[in-house]
């Protein structure tokens, strides 16, 4: 039990502190920047600079093995199960006069996890800095494609919008516009061909990459709003249970049935056990899903994560 407490302390308390700082930023406008502006600036820097730098600081130096494919494939099983499990809510939603925009919002938050914000610092605390590669593999080859294929399709088809239908060409254009995708491809090629960055660039990318997690944790805190919890409390708790318990349970059994490396199994399950992905709010707001319900589940799953993670640490 003492070991579990030490692991929780190492993995969660630093993250909780940064999230709390983000919550405080909701009520403080530095240099006159609004909450929306501050959150957008941080998110933009993370996706375009800090996260690509993290990829360049980690991926060229790791030993590539089967986990580059096995961890994302197993993670996708959990994502699909989490999304499909949301259909149990649909009869209840219809009785409440709700429908597809609400179901679509739930499918996004029940399937997709907050990999970079919480998965990376969690794995680094549990298995060391190099374990960040597992989170990057899952994010690039499971979470990102599922967000921009399935998630975008759900948002366009079921949201209250007048958007054009998703096509393979539009998907490819969206995917190729993301700097982390290009950074990952280049970093993999550097690894395969044993190309190293100059020492000053290695140190520079490491320094920039280290900001990724703290930046995204601030955004998590700045995105948390507890105002709608009372209204959607029941469904938020049930949806959080799917994301925090059902999805990692499916990944746990699938990983143990298909993988042999214990370290990879543990990393894949821990990544699956992270709370709902904050980026789902972007699709929800843009394409007319129920953002209030979605944000309520984001708050609930993030709060309950600090209770469910110790359970998974005991299981593993």
């Amino acid at each position: 039990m003492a070991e579990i407490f030490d692991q929780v302390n190492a993995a969660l308390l630093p993250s909780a502190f940064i999230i709390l700082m983000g919550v405080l930023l909701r009520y403080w406008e530095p240099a006159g920047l609004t909450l929306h502006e501050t959150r957008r600036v941080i998110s933009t820097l993370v996706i375009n600079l800090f996260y690509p730098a993290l990829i360049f600081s980690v991926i060229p130096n790791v030993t590539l093995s089967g986990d580059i494919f096995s961890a994302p494939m197993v993670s996708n099983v959990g994502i699909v199960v989490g999304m499909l499990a949301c259909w149990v809510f649909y009869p209840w939603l219809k009785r409440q006069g709700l429908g597809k925009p609400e179901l679509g919002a739930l499918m996004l938050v029940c399937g997709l996890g907050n990999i970079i914000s919480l998965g990376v610092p969690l794995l680094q605390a549990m298995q060391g800095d190099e374990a960040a590669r597992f989170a990057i593999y899952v994010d690039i080859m499971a979470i990102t494609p599922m967000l921009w294929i399935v998630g975008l399709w759900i948002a366009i088809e079921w949201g209250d919008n007048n958007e054009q239908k998703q096509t393979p060409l539009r998907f490819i254009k969206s995917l190729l516009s993301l700097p982390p995708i290009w950074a990952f491809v280049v970093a993999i090629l550097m690894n395969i061909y044993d190309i190293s960055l100059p020492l000053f660039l290695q140190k520079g990318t490491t320094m920039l990459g280290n900001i990724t997690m703290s930046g995204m944790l601030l955004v998590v805190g700045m995105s948390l709003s507890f105002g709608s919890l009372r209204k959607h409390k029941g469904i938020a708790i049930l949806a959080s249970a799917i994301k925090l318990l059902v999805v990692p349970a499916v990944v746990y059994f699938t990983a143990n049935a298909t993988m042999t490396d214990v370290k990879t199994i543990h990393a894949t399950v821990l990544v699956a056990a992270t709370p709902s992905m904050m980026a789902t709010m972007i699709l929800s707001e843009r394409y007319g899903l129920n953002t209030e319900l979605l944000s309520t589940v984001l708050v609930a799953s993030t709060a309950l994560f600090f209770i469910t993670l110790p359970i998974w640490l005991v299981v593993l």
Side-chain angles (χ1 to χ4, degrees):
M1 185 59 68
E3 182 182 357
I4 296 297
F5 179 81
D6 291 339
Q7 290 177 329
V8 171
N9 180 61
L12 291 186
L13 292 188
S15 298
F17 170 75
I18 299 174
I19 290 174
L20 178 60
M21 294 300 100
V23 172
L24 294 178
L25 280 173
R26 292 180 58 86
Y27 307 98
W28 173 47
E29 297 183 353
L33 292 173
T34 66
L35 172 66
H36 175 74
E37 290 170 336
T38 304
R39 190 169 60 194
R40 183 177 180 184
V41 167
I42 296 175
S43 299
T44 300
L45 286 172
V46 167
I47 196 69
N48 289 287
L49 179 60
F50 301 145
Y51 187 27
L54 175 67
I55 292 171
F56 277 117
S57 70
V58 173
I59 298 301
N61 304 313
V62 301
T63 301
L64 294 180
S65 61
D67 55 37
I68 190 174
F69 299 112
S70 59
M73 289 177 64
V74 170
S75 297
N76 273 325
V77 175
I79 292 170
V80 171
V81 170
M83 288 183 167
L84 293 178
C86 290
W87 280 91
V88 302
F89 295 117
Y90 195 50
W92 181 87
L93 291 172
K94 291 183 71 174
R95 288 197 298 270
Q96 302 297 316
L98 305 174
K100 291 294 183 66
E102 288 72 30
L103 178 60
L106 290 172
M107 290 181 72
L108 293 183
V109 290
C110 287
L112 301 171
N114 214 350
I115 304 298
I116 300 306
S117 301
L118 289 165
V120 171
L122 173 61
L123 292 184
Q124 288 180 327
M126 296 294 101
Q127 299 183 3
D129 289 344
E130 192 175 290
R133 74 182 190 276
F134 294 114
I136 293 172
Y137 295 160
V138 173
D139 183 60
I140 295 295
M141 293 192 286
I143 295 293
T144 297
M146 291 296 283
L147 176 67
W148 292 104
I149 300 175
V150 180
L152 184 58
W153 182 88
I154 290 172
I156 291 175
E157 292 292 324
W158 292 354
D160 184 13
N161 61 74
N162 297 311
E163 293 292 327
Q164 294 179 316
K165 305 300 183 184
Q166 176 74 327
T167 66
L169 180 59
R170 291 195 185 97
F171 159 69
I172 292 173
K173 289 176 66 176
S174 297
L175 204 60
L176 294 181
S177 69
L178 300 173
I181 300 297
W182 290 104
F184 184 75
V185 171
V186 174
I188 288 292
L189 292 174
M190 290 175 62
N191 188 302
I192 293 172
Y193 292 104
D194 197 24
I195 300 172
S196 298
L197 292 172
L199 183 60
F200 76 95
L201 284 181
Q202 291 182 25
K203 292 183 177 180
T205 55
T206 299
M207 292 169 66
L208 285 172
N210 287 339
I211 305 173
T212 303
M213 289 71 73
S214 55
M216 286 307 298
L217 287 171
L218 282 175
V219 171
V220 169
M222 295 168 69
S223 301
L224 295 182
S225 174
F226 298 90
S228 60
L229 267 177
R230 182 175 298 178
K231 179 179 178 182
H232 300 293
K233 179 174 63 176
I235 197 169
I237 292 174
L238 289 173
S240 298
I242 291 175
K243 180 64 196 74
L244 299 172
L245 297 174
V246 175
V247 170
V250 169
V251 170
Y252 174 81
F253 289 112
T254 306
N256 277 282
T258 59
M259 296 179 179
T260 56
D261 183 68
V262 174
K263 189 174 182 180
T264 304
I265 293 172
H266 288 183
T268 307
V269 174
L270 288 175
V271 164
T274 55
S276 302
M277 186 183 192
M278 289 291 168
T280 55
M281 190 180 297
I282 298 172
L283 289 183
S284 181
E285 290 181 338
R286 175 67 180 82
Y287 296 106
L289 297 177
N290 190 323
T291 302
E292 181 184 73
L293 176 59
L294 183 142
S295 63
T296 303
V297 178
L298 290 179
V299 172
S301 65
T302 302
L304 292 173
F305 170 68
F306 293 90
I307 298 173
T308 58
L309 178 63
I311 297 174
W312 287 110
L313 292 177
V314 171
V315 170
L316 296 173

